[in-house]
Amino acid sequence: MASSGEEPRSGSPGRAGTGTEPAAAADAAQLDTAEDFEVLEEEEDEDEDDLSELPPLEDVGRPPAPPREGTQPPEQGAGDAAGDSQEWLDVLGNGLLKKKTLVPGQGVDSRPQKGQDVTIRLKATLEDGTVVEEDPALTFTLGDCDVLQALDLCVQLLEMGETALIVSEAKYCYGAQGRSPDVPPNASLTLEVELLAARDAPDLELLSGKEKIQLANRKRERGNFFYQQADYVLAVNSYDIALRIVGSSSKVDFSPDEEAELLDVKVKCLNNLAASQLKLDHFKAALKSCNLVLEHQPGNIKALFRKGKVLAQQGEYREAIPILKAALKLEPSNKTIHAELSKLVKKHADQRNVETEMYRKMLGNPSTAGTPRKCKDKLPWSIPWKWLFGATAIALGGVALSVVIAARN
């Protein structure tokens, strides 16, 4: 936990930002400055890293941050300064992520596989040589996006025992957001990495309740980190992994408290997943996530509000209004729900007016009071409406009788 005078980190190259600090939730809210959903008041001892309160509104465009002075291309990084004779490998073919072997490993066959837990030695520096991270034994699941993309993409290319230098543009590190207080926005990083070990990930069925909760929370926190970085695709990926862990079968008995905690993790992941899906305009998926929350907690205000929003964005005002009314009944003092509900009621009324006008045009825009008179004026002579309907019925009856007689003959 950072001191009161220091802004806490939102993450590190090795670990996702835990988000347990109040500033983490504030950082997430700042990503959507145009969103007006009022954060629901919660008890102070509750987790403040639950991003479920983030409103599912439209993305807020961000102008790209200007490049920092003194920026050097990857080719002029620390590896070249050291005069290493090895060639740089352009990992993605776009020049933004490069790897150079400093100490060879044990051969291609010793490379780790996706899904394995790997342990590396890590040292991360800025272009000016400032060390921002050092970890002698960082362990993570390869391919799960538990760490910076630069690491996740390059470690799978390392041989056991290999030491490599990785130079990455900000896109595969902390992006335009940076990491307060030590990684500026749009900062490139140089990562010195040594692959120490690789082993198969633990069997989910054999995890204890506590272990499963911890693992699922780590994936959820990584999703929170990606959400704060406005990388909603990777956020969805992390929440999906967390939900898969929570929902996996188990050969171990859990206590009632552990079952309740697992359900709490599941609800948080689903709420956050819905928020990320809405950012991507995946309305059908977001609606499914909200409904799954409401199956477990019918009175979950965040899920109700989010469901109302996704229905409204699809133009389903008639269905969205009662859902928001239910949320407002649970939280009568929430001004944002009041405002959103009023807005939807007005949109629904406007929609109905448009439909009414369309129907009138289809019917020739008749006047309610003058309709019978106009119809009678079009007749060549005046005949009471009842007589006309009666004559029509008699004629139809005669036709039917003729058909029956012909059939008998």
Side-chain angles (χ1 to χ4, degrees):
M1 178 68 70
S3 63
S4 58
E6 180 183 6
E7 186 176 356
R9 298 180 180 181
S10 60
S12 67
R15 292 295 182 193
T18 60
T20 54
E21 302 87 345
D27 289 342
Q30 290 173 1
L31 293 177
D32 304 294
T33 54
E35 298 182 3
D36 58 357
F37 182 55
E38 184 177 82
V39 176
L40 303 178
E41 295 182 359
E42 298 181 350
E43 297 296 330
E44 292 183 358
D45 58 339
E46 291 187 3
D47 288 343
E48 295 184 43
D49 60 347
D50 179 13
L51 302 187
S52 302
E53 73 276 10
L54 288 177
L57 306 180
E58 296 76 14
D59 287 333
V60 179
R62 297 181 186 81
R68 297 188 300 121
E69 295 183 0
T71 300
Q72 296 180 352
E75 289 77 7
Q76 299 177 6
D80 291 309
D84 192 279
S85 60
Q86 296 290 335
E87 294 183 358
W88 285 99
L89 170 66
D90 191 346
V91 176
L92 299 176
N94 58 8
L96 302 181
L97 180 63
K98 297 188 175 185
K99 167 189 171 292
K100 176 190 289 187
T101 299
L102 301 181
V103 179
Q106 300 174 11
V108 176
D109 293 340
S110 66
R111 289 180 178 177
Q113 304 295 318
K114 286 186 178 181
Q116 287 187 314
D117 286 346
V118 297
T119 301
I120 63 172
R121 177 183 62 80
L122 171 68
K123 180 180 179 181
T125 59
L126 298 175
E127 291 176 324
D128 61 5
T130 302
V131 177
V132 293
E133 189 78 17
E134 279 191 284
D135 196 323
L138 172 65
T139 299
F140 60 94
T141 303
L142 189 61
D144 274 11
C145 300
D146 290 344
V147 292
L148 296 179
Q149 282 185 278
L151 284 174
D152 221 12
L153 293 169
C154 291
V155 169
Q156 57 188 295
L157 302 177
L158 296 181
E159 301 171 3
M160 190 61 59
E162 178 182 350
T163 298
L165 203 63
I166 300 168
V167 177
S168 174
E169 291 294 313
K171 179 178 181 179
Y172 304 110
C173 296
Y174 291 102
Q177 302 299 324
R179 185 190 71 182
S180 179
D182 52 357
V183 180
N186 293 315
S188 299
L189 288 181
T190 298
L191 311 172
E192 184 177 315
V193 181
E194 179 184 1
L195 180 59
L196 303 176
R199 59 186 178 278
D200 292 339
D203 188 345
L204 295 179
E205 291 187 339
L206 301 179
L207 293 179
S208 67
K210 183 178 180 181
E211 290 171 333
K212 181 172 283 192
I213 291 167
Q214 290 176 343
L215 181 59
N217 269 325
R218 283 203 299 270
K219 306 300 182 180
R220 177 179 64 85
E221 289 163 2
R222 189 60 182 172
N224 294 357
F225 168 78
F226 284 127
Y227 193 104
Q228 294 172 14
Q229 297 292 319
D231 196 334
Y232 305 117
V233 172
L234 291 182
V236 166
N237 177 71
S238 294
Y239 294 136
D240 278 336
I241 294 174
L243 287 168
R244 188 164 63 248
I245 294 170
V246 171
S248 63
S249 59
S250 179
K251 297 178 180 178
V252 181
D253 293 331
F254 299 153
S255 68
D257 288 343
E258 289 172 337
E259 293 283 4
E261 195 168 351
L262 280 169
L263 178 59
D264 181 65
V265 175
K266 179 179 181 179
V267 167
K268 286 182 177 180
C269 287
L270 286 170
N271 263 327
N272 296 354
L273 179 62
S276 303
Q277 290 164 337
L278 277 164
K279 292 291 188 181
L280 298 169
D281 292 337
H282 296 169
F283 299 128
K284 185 176 180 180
L287 190 61
K288 180 180 179 180
S289 298
C290 292
N291 285 334
L292 288 173
V293 173
L294 296 173
E295 285 180 8
H296 296 291
Q297 297 179 359
N300 189 295
I301 297 176
K302 297 168 186 177
L304 287 170
F305 181 83
R306 197 163 275 122
K307 182 176 180 179
K309 287 294 299 182
V310 68
L311 289 172
Q313 290 187 13
Q314 291 179 303
E316 302 292 343
Y317 304 126
R318 187 189 299 269
E319 296 181 32
I321 288 173
I323 293 174
L324 288 181
K325 284 183 177 179
L328 187 60
K329 186 176 181 180
L330 294 170
E331 188 76 23
S333 62
N334 193 299
K335 297 179 181 179
T336 303
I337 299 179
H338 271 288
E340 185 65 27
L341 186 56
S342 300
K343 183 169 65 175
L344 289 188
V345 169
K346 183 180 182 302
K347 286 184 176 180
H348 187 215
D350 293 342
Q351 186 184 61
R352 292 177 63 183
N353 289 337
V354 170
E355 291 175 353
T356 301
E357 184 64 24
M358 180 181 66
Y359 294 146
R360 286 186 177 181
K361 290 181 178 179
M362 291 172 60
L363 298 174
N365 197 23
S367 172
T368 303
T371 299
R373 182 175 302 166
K374 288 182 179 180
C375 290
K376 288 193 293 184
D377 292 343
K378 291 180 181 179
L379 296 175
W381 57 82
S382 179
I383 300 178
W385 285 100
K386 292 182 180 180
W387 292 8
L388 182 59
F389 292 151
T392 303
I394 292 172
L396 292 175
V399 171
L401 182 60
S402 299
V403 172
V404 172
I405 293 173
R408 289 183 177 179
N409 294 334

